Amino acid sequence: QVQLVESGGGFVQAGGSLRLSCKAPRMITSVFNGYTWAWYRQPPGKQRELVATMVGRDTTNYLDSVRGRFTISKDSSRKMVFLQMYSLIAEDTAVYYCNARTNDGSAEYWGQGTEVTVAS
């Protein structure tokens, strides 16, 4: 059973920053490196949306509204994925979820979510 454990959410003033972490403690490193990693978010009363993805070592993509402010990265040695968020705005308020997916889509795993609240 793949377990994804998120941390780093919290309350921050607009303009502030947070770093979200996602750890996969039971995943072996070779498997970790083979997954597509992503961060999603679900704002209050809205649908879940894709925020950032990382394929392979450094191929990334971002939601237009966060590009230039958010950075997804990973540390394979620690089996961790990060989402560094700068210049936060109220519209970034959401529950953020870590996601791991095989490239063929045959398996997909989610973290439990970590809440981010940005006060304007």
Side-chain angles (χ1 to χ4, degrees), residues 47-87:
Q47 291 189 331
R48 191 174 297 189
E49 61 184 358
L50 177 61
V51 175
T53 60
M54 173 169 270
V55 180
R57 292 190 176 184
D58 55 10
T59 301
T60 59
N61 199 10
Y62 296 92
L63 181 69
D64 284 347
S65 62
V66 309
R67 188 174 288 112
R69 300 189 296 118
F70 290 11
T71 302
I72 186 171
S73 61
K74 65 182 181 182
D75 183 337
S76 298
S77 65
R78 292 194 289 166
K79 293 175 287 185
M80 294 185 71
V81 179
F82 306 98
L83 185 68
Q84 179 67 57
M85 305 185 293
Y86 294 105
S87 303

Side-chain angles (χ1 to χ4, degrees), residues 12-67:
V12 64
Q13 296 290 331
S17 61
L18 284 173
R19 188 176 80 156
L20 306 183
S21 300
C22 174
K23 188 172 178 62
R26 299 176 184 172
M27 192 178 287
I28 62 175
T29 301
S30 60
V31 173
F32 177 91
N33 288 333
Y35 277 87
T36 292
W37 290 91
W39 286 93
Y40 286 76
R41 69 185 182 187
Q42 187 164 15
K46 296 183 179 180
Q47 291 189 331
R48 191 174 297 189
E49 61 184 358
L50 177 61
V51 175
T53 60
M54 173 169 270
V55 180
R57 292 190 176 184
D58 55 10
T59 301
T60 59
N61 199 10
Y62 296 92
L63 181 69
D64 284 347
S65 62
V66 309
R67 188 174 288 112

